[in-house]
Amino acid sequence: MSGPALPVLGLVGIPTSAGSHHAGQERAPRRLREAGLPERLRAAGRMVVDHGDAPVMPYRPMGIGVASRDADRVVAVVRDVAERVGRVVDAGQVPLVLGGDCTVTLGVVSALLRRSPGLGLLYFDGDADLGTPGPGGSGVLDSMGVTHLLGGGDPRLARVGPRHPLLGDDRIALVGYHPVELAPADARWLAASRILTLPVTAMGDDPVVPAARVMRSLARAADGVLVHFDVDVIDSGDAPLANFPHFNGGLSLAAAAACLRVFTTAPEFRGLVVTELNPDHDVDGSLLPDFVARLAGALAG
Ligand SMILES: [Mn+2]
């Protein structure tokens, strides 16, 4: 490709499912490495420094009626993520973080905010993650990511970073969520907020075009853009790697990768978090190599 060289990626694995609803995601960093992600990136011309993995933190049952499941351990993981990613950024590299469940993104945002207070977050996810720990909820913290970023939810997580709230609603874009998953009150709240929204139902036959438009809008409003990539934005009918399935209405793996290429090759790109990949769903071992090839291809530009 032409133009300036892309920055060096700093690879960090965060093998945690502590914020999820069962185990599995904690095996994603190891399985992505075994499927050849670092080698694929280098073969595609992208420089990578591998910083290894954090300690494994699998899901554990916490009992009935818990409002925020395993919150103390999730907070400890998020703080550890912030330190690890901070070292990557201080080394002049762009973090490529392999989760782990969606709570990992809170730590990556915390690390980047210390260096770029105007950071924006492009949340590329099959869900809006606006859950709360209130009565009647599951208590599963990885479904509440955006709530915590905006300062609500469990104060232990909302106040985990260098400021509260971590992000204003003018610094977030939600891309790829399915409106059918939104509670009516959340849909009304979202429509009244300044959050940039691009539901999957509005992405059309060529999702890259509206995705690029949202990336440009967020990049103009922010000082650098972190990309959160929950693999459940991919339809389970095409590549069922997500911890929680989304059928009929998600993006194809190819379309998601094409959007990722737009996000991660922009000059404002400051990091990528890959979340919610459950390698147990790759029963015959054919899905992960394809996913890794697509991810490496997207990051190679
Ligand atoms: Mn999701």
Side-chain angles (χ1 to χ4, degrees), residues 47-299:
M47 287 180 64
V48 187
V49 175
D50 195 340
H51 296 262
D53 289 353
V56 178
M57 293 289 174
Y59 167 84
R60 57 183 181 180
M62 298 300 290
I64 300 169
V66 177
S68 300
R69 297 197 170 273
D70 221 356
D72 290 338
R73 203 163 57 134
V74 170
V75 166
V77 171
V78 168
R79 291 213 169 102
D80 183 47
V81 171
E83 282 183 25
R84 287 171 190 273
V85 173
R87 290 195 289 272
V88 169
V89 177
D90 289 344
Q93 299 157 15
V94 168
L96 168 55
V97 181
L98 307 177
D101 65 64
C102 278
T103 59
V104 168
T105 295
L106 291 167
V108 184
V109 168
S110 296
L112 291 174
L113 276 180
R114 288 190 195 281
R115 289 128 183 116
S116 304
L119 181 77
L121 174 66
L122 192 144
Y123 206 83
F124 190 36
D125 196 308
D127 309 281
D129 288 352
L130 288 166
T132 58
S138 63
V140 174
L141 289 167
D142 70 358
S143 65
M144 308 177 194
V146 174
T147 301
H148 287 126
L149 289 165
L150 290 166
D154 188 315
R156 287 170 289 181
L157 277 161
R159 296 182 179 276
V160 75
R163 71 181 187 208
H164 178 264
L166 284 167
L167 294 173
D169 65 353
D170 58 340
R171 291 288 192 279
I172 298 179
L174 298 180
V175 177
Y177 66 94
H178 203 298
V180 82
E181 311 271 358
L182 269 183
D186 289 341
R188 284 192 297 274
W189 179 86
L190 204 51
S193 79
R194 292 179 293 177
I195 292 178
L196 296 169
T197 56
L198 179 60
V200 69
T201 46
M203 295 183 83
D205 294 336
D206 193 1
V208 171
V209 174
R213 198 180 304 131
V214 170
M215 178 68 188
R216 280 195 302 274
S217 298
L218 182 62
R220 271 197 301 273
D223 174 19
V225 174
L226 171 68
V227 180
H228 160 101
F229 171 39
D230 180 331
V231 301
D232 74 8
V233 78
I234 302 164
D235 197 290
S236 302
D238 189 35
L241 285 166
N243 196 50
F244 193 82
H246 287 70
F247 282 105
N248 295 342
L251 297 174
S252 67
L253 172 57
C259 293
L260 267 188
R261 172 178 287 115
V262 167
F263 304 150
T264 63
T265 56
E268 298 86 0
F269 171 63
R270 295 292 179 273
L272 175 66
V273 196
V274 181
T275 70
E276 297 284 323
L277 191 151
N278 188 332
D280 295 353
H281 295 174
D282 185 12
V283 177
D284 68 1
S286 67
L287 295 173
L288 278 167
D290 193 27
F291 176 82
V292 159
R294 294 279 190 183
L295 178 60
L299 282 161

